[in-house]
Amino acid sequence: MTTQQATATQQVADRFNELAQQGRFDVVLDELYAEDAISREPIGNKFLPDAEGLAAIRKKGEDFNNGIQEVHNGWCSAPVVGDAFFCVSMGMEVTMKGDTERTIMDELCVYEVKDGKIVKEEFFYTV
């Protein structure tokens, strides 16, 4: 790991954390993602597709948000940085459209940074 890479990753992770704590994931996409970023879900996931490119990642997020009736709570841990990667634990308590009970979603999110931008996100949760 180069000092320069670690510093760049830390800067992106710090800004990600700042925006995540404000719930500003739209700004995270605008500021921190590369146009050709990739998004990966766990194998066996039946709800969200993988996505390639910033436009497809935005659409994936919009589709997910459109399925939510109400958000009751959300959280995101501080990032842990290693080389060109950082990870956070993230989750939310929601009521999905068509449901009457709340659902708790919890996942580990790993981000890869190159040239000061997130180029890949990968999510880990039980399917």
Side-chain angles (χ1 to χ4, degrees):
M1 165 176 61
T2 67
T3 303
Q4 187 177 25
Q5 177 63 57
T7 300
T9 303
Q10 187 67 58
Q11 289 172 342
V12 171
D14 289 345
R15 181 65 175 149
F16 179 99
N17 186 52
E18 177 185 350
L19 294 167
Q21 297 310 314
Q22 299 169 14
R24 298 301 315 266
F25 292 98
D26 56 331
V27 180
V28 167
L29 290 172
D30 291 343
E31 285 187 19
L32 302 179
Y33 275 65
E35 284 295 323
D36 60 349
I38 297 170
S39 178
R40 297 282 183 246
E41 296 292 329
I43 294 173
N45 162 59
K46 297 176 184 173
F47 302 105
L48 293 171
D50 289 345
E52 295 191 21
L54 187 53
I57 293 171
R58 283 185 198 284
K59 173 86 167 85
K60 176 180 164 181
E62 289 168 9
D63 290 347
F64 175 74
N65 289 335
N66 287 337
I68 297 174
Q69 177 177 308
E70 185 178 356
V71 176
H72 306 287
N73 190 14
W75 56 91
C76 184
S77 72
V80 175
V81 175
D83 192 25
F85 302 89
F86 71 94
C87 67
V88 297
S89 175
M90 191 181 305
M92 61 175 57
E93 183 177 4
V94 298
T95 301
M96 301 301 288
K97 289 181 179 173
D99 288 343
T100 56
E101 295 186 23
R102 293 180 180 196
T103 300
I104 295 176
M105 301 176 183
D106 202 10
E107 63 189 336
L108 182 63
C109 313
V110 179
Y111 301 90
E112 182 177 356
V113 176
K114 183 177 180 184
D115 298 325
K117 295 287 186 179
I118 293 171
V119 295
K120 183 178 180 184
E121 62 180 17
E122 189 164 359
F123 304 110
F124 298 88
Y125 52 87
T126 304
V127 292

